């Protein structure tokens, strides 16, 4: 049984079909890239998966239970973590304080506001930072960390909820190519070591073909291909979408140029 099974999901905005009969599966321990040109419906798909949007039709089964239409918080509690979408860390707090807060939130301890952060879950927080390669910088405030390092801390924040599925919509946007590779290597390790599943979108084809176990291709709200990276590379339909007239590859390069690094 797949960890995540999406079947016949539809979502329209004012009659425009952003998701049109979308079906796919993700297994535990799998790193899956969701790719497609701008406007294909990737972000809408993430929004439906994590409960931010209610699908018009279809089913989303996670770990054997239906989650479609549930509140984001409820879906998060079941083990679906969405990462890197918004700045998840507090710039004024140290890396470890940020993780300690996330752990407290998992344990529903935020009501204990009188407890100094410094005393909460320190060891577990440090272990999480260790896992993302940030233990040495634990005491630095997030505001003074490099962009790629902040993203590592934010990955630790996501891991604090002990997710079984990481949803990563353009996780490496704004990163240098070295930071991008390093983050993807890290996610790949976590996926392999802890049998977490990761579903990610990514503009860099190097990252997609270098790290994904499987690739799902969307165009105009539909899944047009699914398969191993090698098979996707050779898929004629995908070639048409990406390399056909008007060269969407060019468009993607332009987008990457537009992403101003911080
Ligand atoms: P992608 O992430 O693949 O670039 P999106 O899922 O963001 O694509 O968007 C798919 C389509 O749905 C786009 O045409 C977009 O304009 C439209 N869309 C997305 N969200 C909304 C919304 N909240 N209201 C209206 N249209 C939307
Ligand atoms: Mg998007």
């Amino acid at each position: 049984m797949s960890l995540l099974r999406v079947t016949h999901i539809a979502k329209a905005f004012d009659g425009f079909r952003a998701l049109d009969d979308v079906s796919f599966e993700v297994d535990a321990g799998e790193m899956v890239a969701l790719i497609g040109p701008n406007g294909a419906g990737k972000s809408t798909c993430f929004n439906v998966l994590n409960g931010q949007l209610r699908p018009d039709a279809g089913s989303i089964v996670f770990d054997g239970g239906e989650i479609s239409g549930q509140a984001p918080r409820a879906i998060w509690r079941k083990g679906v973590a969405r990462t890197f979408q918004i700045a998840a860390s507090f710039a004024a707090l140290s890396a470890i304080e940020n993780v300690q807060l996330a752990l407290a939130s998992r344990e529903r301890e935020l009501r204990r506001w009188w407890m100094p952060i410094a005393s909460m879950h320190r060891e577990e927080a440090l272990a999480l930072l260790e896992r993302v390669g940030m233990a040495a910088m634990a005491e630095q405030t997030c505001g003074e960390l490099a962009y790629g390092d902040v993203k590592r801390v934010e990955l630790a924040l996501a891991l604090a909820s002990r997710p079984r599925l990481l949803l990563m919509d353009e996780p490496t946007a704004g990163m240098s190519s070295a930071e991008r590779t390093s983050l993807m290597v890290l996610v790949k390790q976590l996926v392999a070591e802890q049998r977490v599943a990761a579903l990610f979108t990514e503009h860099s084809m190097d990252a997609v073909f270098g790290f994904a176990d499987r690739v799902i291709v969307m165009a105009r709200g539909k899944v047009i291909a699914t398969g191993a990276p090698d098979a996707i590379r050779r898929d004629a339909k995908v070639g048409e979408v990406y390399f056909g007239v008007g060269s969407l590859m060019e468009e993607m390069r332009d987008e990457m140029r537009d992403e101003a690094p911080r």
Side-chain angles (χ1 to χ4, degrees), residues 13-14 16-19 36-45 47 53 169-170 201 218:
F13 300 108
D14 286 330
F16 174 83
R17 290 181 192 172
L19 294 178
N38 233 352
K42 305 179 298 292
S43 292
T44 304
C45 188
N47 287 335
L53 285 175
D169 197 358
E170 301 185 24
T201 65
M218 284 185 72

Side-chain angles (χ1 to χ4, degrees), residues 101-164:
L101 265 186
L103 288 167
S105 161
R106 180 192 76 200
E107 305 296 338
R108 304 184 197 237
E109 285 168 354
L110 278 186
R111 63 185 180 282
R112 291 156 71 184
W113 49 269
W114 63 86
M115 255 178 89
I117 298 174
S119 64
M120 299 187 298
H121 307 287
R122 213 188 136 77
E123 265 168 48
E124 192 179 354
L126 203 53
L128 280 167
L129 286 176
E130 182 87 58
R131 221 190 285 164
V132 299
M134 287 296 293
M137 287 179 257
E139 304 299 338
Q140 268 176 265
T141 62
C142 280
E144 60 192 18
L145 293 175
Y147 188 64
D149 290 338
V150 173
K151 293 294 154 182
R152 282 171 178 269
V153 173
E154 291 185 357
L155 185 58
L157 298 182
L159 294 175
S161 68
R162 297 197 188 114
R164 319 235 332 262

